[in-house]
Amino acid sequence: MENDNINDEAKNLTVSDDISKKVKELENRIAALEKKDDHLTMVLFSGDFDKAMAAFIIANGGIAMDMKVTIFATFWGLDVLKKSSFDTAGRGFLEKMVLAMRPKGSGKLGTSKMNFGGIGPKLFKFMMKRKNIEQLESLINMAQEYGVRIIACQMTVDLMGLKLSDLIDGIESGGVGAFLASSSHSNTTLFI
Amino acid sequence: MENDNINDEAKNLTVSDDISKKVKELENRIAALEKKDDHLTMVLFSGDFDKAMAAFIIANGGIAMDMKVTIFATFWGLDVLKKSSFDTAGRGFLEKMVLAMRPKGSGKLGTSKMNFGGIGPKLFKFMMKRKNIEQLESLINMAQEYGVRIIACQMTVDLMGLKLSDLIDGIESGGVGAFLASSSHSNTTLFI
Amino acid sequence: MENDNINDEAKNLTVSDDISKKVKELENRIAALEKKDDHLTMVLFSGDFDKAMAAFIIANGGIAMDMKVTIFATFWGLDVLKKSSFDTAGRGFLEKMVLAMRPKGSGKLGTSKMNFGGIGPKLFKFMMKRKNIEQLESLINMAQEYGVRIIACQMTVDLMGLKLSDLIDGIESGGVGAFLASSSHSNTTLFI
């Protein structure tokens, strides 16, 4: 009987031990799922001043809430990240033409509504200053300083005849896979 | 031996008890994660008639599926929520000018395509009526009646020279933090 | 005492057994939650060439990463899926007019920026060819071949005077409920 008793004990311990391990494993998987609450991934497709404002206000809001923020900039969204000047010597004719027609950087963007040939953004900047709202350039700087990860879509960088060095510093380049790897672990995903 | 036996029993009970508590805790955490399936959070950035239609059709669809729906209206999305008339006396010159140029409420919005100086929305409303599709005003009313939470972005309300009382009743005001608190617990998140 | 001992054993086994079942149930629920990482649901609202490109590049990226991809096409997004020609005989006057004014299929879309009366898309197609980027038609074909589920919004199909047979083959029709059923099990949700 003592023997039986020892066997029982062994059995119980084994069962408990297996379950404990399993429960620990499940807890880790739950923690990984919960972490998505704190991840925010945005596609910045638009190069409109107002949409870029929205994207970077949300990004900085995320940072303020301790979230991990990733911005995947593609197509016209690259306009937002351009340096205010860069040399296009040595690029093809079409690339030069497209680059010449697109705004260079966050200071030159038009608005999606009420642009009025460029007066719209100036008006909004003036109104924003009066209301003590951070300007787009400051929002981008803050985002980068506080660790927002900005990925420039390599395919559209190539397509637009851009080089990574034409964009402000601290931008990674990556493909749609980099976006999806981030978005599939983010609870908040937006296409702006 | 009896003593040992009692110790074993105590040990087994403790292990089981701890595990039971842990399992219960994990179950609660899983239930919280599952609840996100039923949450839908949208940014309504656009003031276009067709995009506002899409947002409120999705919102009412969510309600029909017992989802908890939150709309965070910002920038031009505020146009959708304006009362059809309100007094702008006492506002600054720029605010008055911007307010004068923006449509007042859901009945005055243009479409993003085929607007034709305002004929587009009329055409669509006519076609919608013939197909028995709810009009935008009804969709907004229904959404509010069935508990869709609508938050007006305080920053853009201020920026546009608006007051919360210029918007239809039942709208909260809040910041980007309110949006992120909602979106980070929502499985479906959209920027419209 | 032996009796007690047997009781203890029975009790321990029962506790372990219940917990095992519960743990198994929780594991299944966690696995269901984890599956959302691999699901991607997009609303394709826009009929712009560049936005449609973005949607189908993301869709094919998802496929490459073994994701389950659903596209819910609504409003102007239906333009992207139209056959390049179809007969509008027998439709009402307004429907015919709207259909006549909208582009027929992915080969006829304009860009959201730099359209220049239709030169923009031609320019981009030329630049894309030079950079070996897949054309939109190929991206749509690939997406369909590799199992991207495309749902045409029944309400807007009706509204625009379309029939499902006017769209390319292999498109389902469905309502906003079909979209929400998919999005609420997808980690990445985008409105394009």
Side-chain angles (χ1 to χ4, degrees), chain A residues 58-129:
Chain A
I58 293 172
N60 283 291
I63 289 295
M65 289 169 81
D66 255 332
M67 295 172 88
K68 195 176 149 191
V69 183
T70 302
I71 296 176
F72 183 76
T74 187
F75 284 86
W76 320 107
L78 296 171
D79 289 346
V80 182
L81 302 175
K82 282 179 193 161
K83 284 178 184 153
S84 55
S85 75
F86 54 87
D87 189 6
T88 59
R91 322 247 172 143
F93 173 75
L94 280 176
E95 281 78 4
K96 262 191 190 165
M97 192 180 78
V98 170
L99 288 174
M101 286 186 298
R102 300 300 312 159
K104 281 197 178 166
S106 54
K108 305 277 177 49
L109 308 172
T111 48
S112 68
K113 304 270 168 194
M114 303 179 73
N115 191 43
F116 308 129
I119 295 171
K122 288 198 184 69
L123 174 66
F124 279 107
K125 282 173 202 177
F126 178 73
M127 289 170 81
M128 280 158 60
K129 203 167 272 172

Side-chain angles (χ1 to χ4, degrees), chain A residues 1 5 8 12 15 19 22 29 36 48 76 94-95 101-102 155 158-159 180 183-184 186 189, chain C residues 1 5 9 12 16 20 23 27 34 37 50 57 62 113-114 123 126-127 130-131 187-189:
Chain A
M1 192 196 76
N5 206 29
D8 286 348
N12 280 321
V15 171
I19 291 192
K22 186 46 117 184
R29 287 164 68 182
K36 293 182 193 172
D48 294 329
W76 320 107
L94 280 176
E95 281 78 4
M101 286 186 298
R102 300 300 312 159
M155 194 199 84
D158 288 348
L159 179 62
L180 288 169
S183 71
S184 64
S186 298
T189 57
Chain C
M1 194 197 75
N5 206 28
E9 188 191 345
N12 280 320
S16 296
S20 289
V23 165
E27 186 167 26
E34 286 169 339
D37 289 8
D50 40 356
I57 288 168
K113 303 273 168 191
M114 304 179 72
L123 174 66
F126 178 72
M127 290 171 81
R130 287 208 317 187
K131 313 259 173 176
N187 222 55
T188 306
T189 58

Side-chain angles (χ1 to χ4, degrees), chain A residues 41-46 56 70-82 149-157 162 164 167 171-175 179 192:
Chain A
T41 301
M42 293 180 268
V43 178
L44 180 58
F45 174 93
S46 170
F56 280 94
T70 302
I71 296 176
F72 183 76
T74 187
F75 284 86
W76 320 107
L78 296 171
D79 289 346
V80 182
L81 302 175
K82 282 179 193 161
R149 184 181 172 205
I150 308 181
I151 306 171
C153 169
Q154 187 61 56
M155 194 199 84
T156 44
V157 165
L162 283 166
L164 199 60
L167 306 181
I171 312 275
E172 291 174 49
S173 94
F179 162 68
I192 297 181

Side-chain angles (χ1 to χ4, degrees), chain C:
Chain C
M1 194 197 75
E2 193 181 348
N3 223 21
D4 275 10
N5 206 28
I6 287 167
N7 281 346
D8 286 349
E9 188 191 345
K11 190 175 168 188
N12 280 320
L13 277 181
T14 311
V15 170
S16 296
D17 213 40
D18 281 357
I19 290 191
S20 289
K21 260 189 217 157
K22 187 45 121 182
V23 165
K24 190 67 210 152
E25 181 215 311
L26 296 189
E27 186 167 26
N28 291 339
R29 288 164 69 182
I30 292 170
L33 288 164
E34 286 169 339
K35 217 175 264 174
K36 293 182 192 171
D37 289 8
D38 305 326
H39 290 205
L40 158 64
T41 301
M42 293 180 268
V43 177
L44 179 58
F45 174 93
S46 171
D48 295 328
F49 172 74
D50 40 356
K51 289 197 174 175
M53 280 292 299
F56 280 94
I57 288 168
I58 293 172
N60 284 291
I63 290 296
M65 288 169 81
D66 256 332
M67 295 172 88
K68 197 178 149 189
V69 183
T70 302
I71 295 177
F72 183 77
T74 188
F75 284 86
W76 320 107
L78 296 171
D79 290 346
V80 182
L81 303 174
K82 281 179 192 160
K83 284 178 183 152
S84 55
S85 75
F86 54 86
D87 188 6
T88 59
R91 322 245 173 142
F93 172 76
L94 279 177
E95 280 78 5
K96 263 191 189 162
M97 192 180 79
V98 169
L99 289 173
M101 286 187 297
R102 300 299 312 158
K104 280 197 178 167
S106 53
K108 304 278 176 49
L109 308 172
T111 48
S112 68
K113 303 273 168 191
M114 304 179 72
N115 191 44
F116 308 129
I119 295 173
K122 287 198 184 69
L123 174 66
F124 279 108
K125 281 172 201 177
F126 178 72
M127 290 171 81
M128 280 159 58
K129 203 167 272 172
R130 287 208 317 187
K131 313 259 173 176
N132 291 317
I133 298 172
E134 289 286 344
Q135 298 291 331
L136 181 54
E137 289 77 1
S138 315
L139 288 170
I140 296 175
N141 286 345
M142 270 170 57
Q144 287 200 298
E145 194 179 330
Y146 287 95
V148 170
R149 185 183 173 203
I150 308 182
I151 306 170
C153 169
Q154 188 60 57
M155 193 199 84
T156 45
V157 165
D158 288 348
L159 179 63
M160 304 281 187
L162 282 165
K163 298 177 180 174
L164 198 60
S165 58
D166 301 336
L167 306 182
I168 54 175
D169 296 333
I171 311 274
E172 292 173 48
S173 95
V176 70
F179 163 68
L180 288 169
S182 177
S183 70
S184 64
H185 294 95
S186 299
N187 222 55
T188 306
T189 58
L190 304 171
F191 184 97
I192 296 181

